[in-house]
Every structure is written in structure tokens, then in C-alpha cells.
């Protein structure tokens, strides 16, 4: 299990690992198989790099088990502070960031803002148990890919898969738009040269 430097070593309101229903009605694995072929991570073959912004090691262990139960191999890093976050983004190059909202030194908003600057194409999911609907909506407006309640962790894997698909689709659309622009410029130069 991954190590998290965690200051909170006691249970933090998470359900016991054996109480989390690992089975969902919609198979996340089927959704993962539909990821577009691109330079993005293929969760059916690649190791998913997850950066946890979390101070509860038991949550990191539980989330890792959820991904593993869906056949997803992952590598994890866990940070608690903004300087640790900045270093991990540069060194680890995560595919996805799963961030708690309430941390000892900063809020999920600060980490989300840092992610939008340092790794704008990496999806950030806020995973927390204690924020209200207004805060969740604000986080989504600020660029979070999604919000997952720690009381409904069965949605973590499918929501992560969706966020990764959306990033892959946006990258594919941007690449296509760039190719179309290049072709337009090429044909425009041919017309102007004749």
C-alpha cells in the first residue's frame, strides 16, 4: 500500500475498507476500455500515475484498492503541502490528481489553482467528505474535473475514467484543429503564390 506522510493518522470519517461496496452498477472497466487511442494514458495497459493531495493514509490505501479492484494498475505519490505538490507535479508527472479539500496547511482550492498553473491539462478531482454544494460548484467553476464525496467512493473510479476521457478528447480535438489550421495555411499560401 502507498505511504502517505499524513498528519492525521486516526480514522477521518471514512467507511471501513470492508464496508465499501467495490461493485458498481455501471462497470467502470467498460468505460475505461473506450478511452481514445492517443498519447494519453490507456488504463487497460498503462500504469496510472495518481497524485494524492491528502493527509489521511487510510484514504490513499482505500482508493488504491478501489482502482485495483477494477483492474487498474496505479502508482501513487502523496503530498500535503503546496511545495511538495509543486515538486511532485514536476517529478512524478501525474495523469490525475485526487485532492482532499481540507488540509492542515491549505485548502483544495489552493491546490486546484496551483494545478491549473503547473499542469493545466491534468484533471483534478476533489475528493472530500465535508464540503457543501456551494463549495463543490465553485470548485467545478474553477476547473476541477469533478467532485467525489468520501461517503460515495464507489463513484471514484468511473469519475476518474470520465475525467481522463474528457482530457484525451480535448487533446485530440486540439490536435485536429491544429492540423486543420496548418492545412488551411498551406492551401492559402498556394493560392497566394499562384
Amino acid at each position: 500500500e502507498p505511504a502517505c506522510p499524513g498528519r492525521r493518522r486516526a480514522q477521518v470519517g471514512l467507511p471501513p475498507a470492508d464496508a465499501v461496496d467495490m461493485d458498481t452498477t455501471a462497470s467502470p472497466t467498460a468505460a475505461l476500455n473506450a478511452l481514445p487511442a492517443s498519447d494519453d494514458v490507456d488504463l487497460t495497459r498503462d500504469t496510472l500515475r495518481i497524485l494524492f493531495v491528502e493527509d489521511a493514509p487510510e484514504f490513499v490505501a482505500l482508493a488504491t484498492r478501489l482502482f485495483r479492484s477494477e483492474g487498474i494498475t496505479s502508482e501513487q505519490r502523496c503530498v500535503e503541502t503546496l511545495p511538495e505538490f509543486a515538486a511532485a507535479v514536476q517529478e512524478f508527472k501525474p495523469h490525475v490528481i485526487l485532492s482532499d479539500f481540507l488540509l492542515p496547511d491549505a485548502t483544495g482550492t489552493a491546490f486546484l489553482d496551483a494545478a491549473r498553473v503547473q499542469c493545466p491539462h491534468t484533471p483534478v478531482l476533489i475528493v472530500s467528505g465535508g464540503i457543501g454544494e456551494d463549495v463543490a460548484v465553485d470548485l467545478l467553476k474553477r476547473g476541477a474535473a469533478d467532485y467525489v464525496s468520501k461517503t460515495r467512493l464507489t463513484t471514484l473510479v468511473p469519475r476518474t475514467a470520465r475525467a481522463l476521457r474528457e482530457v484525451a478528447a480535448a487533446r485530440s480535438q486540439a490536435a485536429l484543429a491544429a492540423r486543420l489550421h496548418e492545412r488551411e495555411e498551406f492551401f492559402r499560401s498556394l493560392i497566394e503564390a499562384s
Side-chain angles (χ1 to χ4, degrees):
E1 297 297 324
C4 188
R7 292 186 185 117
R8 278 189 293 169
R9 297 288 179 190
Q11 190 70 12
V12 291
L14 296 175
D18 57 355
V20 174
D21 180 13
M22 300 278 195
D23 187 31
T24 60
T25 55
S27 171
T29 305
L32 297 176
N33 291 333
L35 282 173
S38 71
D39 292 339
D40 296 293
V41 63
D42 178 346
L43 296 179
T44 61
R45 291 189 313 242
D46 301 332
T47 297
L48 177 64
R49 290 187 308 271
I50 305 170
L51 178 58
F52 287 94
V53 179
E54 180 62 60
D55 62 347
E58 60 275 3
F59 169 74
V60 175
L62 179 58
T64 301
R65 283 194 301 276
L66 286 168
F67 281 97
R68 190 178 312 130
S69 75
E70 290 298 329
I72 299 168
T73 304
S74 65
E75 180 181 354
Q76 311 80 25
R77 292 270 172 93
C78 188
V79 300
E80 293 181 35
T81 67
L82 286 166
E84 291 172 345
F85 178 81
V89 165
Q90 291 299 314
E91 297 164 12
F92 185 57
K93 304 205 183 315
H95 295 119
V96 65
I97 299 167
L98 301 179
S99 178
D100 194 357
F101 184 74
L102 299 171
L103 292 139
D105 298 329
T107 66
T109 304
F111 287 98
L112 178 60
D113 291 345
R116 298 290 47 101
V117 172
Q118 293 180 269
C119 50
H121 302 294
T122 302
V124 178
L125 284 78
I126 304 297
V127 185
S128 188
I131 66 172
E133 186 177 318
D134 292 344
V135 174
V137 168
D138 181 58
L139 290 165
L140 294 171
K141 287 179 181 178
R142 291 178 85 98
D146 212 334
Y147 166 74
V148 178
S149 171
K150 284 186 177 178
T151 62
R152 296 189 43 108
L153 286 178
T154 56
T155 65
L156 181 62
V157 174
R159 288 180 180 206
T160 300
R162 186 186 75 214
L164 290 166
R165 281 193 314 276
E166 288 172 357
V167 166
R171 286 182 181 156
S172 294
Q173 288 176 343
L176 179 59
R179 285 194 302 271
L180 288 173
H181 180 71
E182 288 173 6
R183 287 186 179 178
E184 287 174 357
E185 291 299 314
F186 173 74
F187 288 120
R188 183 174 294 126
S189 67
L190 287 178
I191 292 171
E192 290 173 357
S194 58

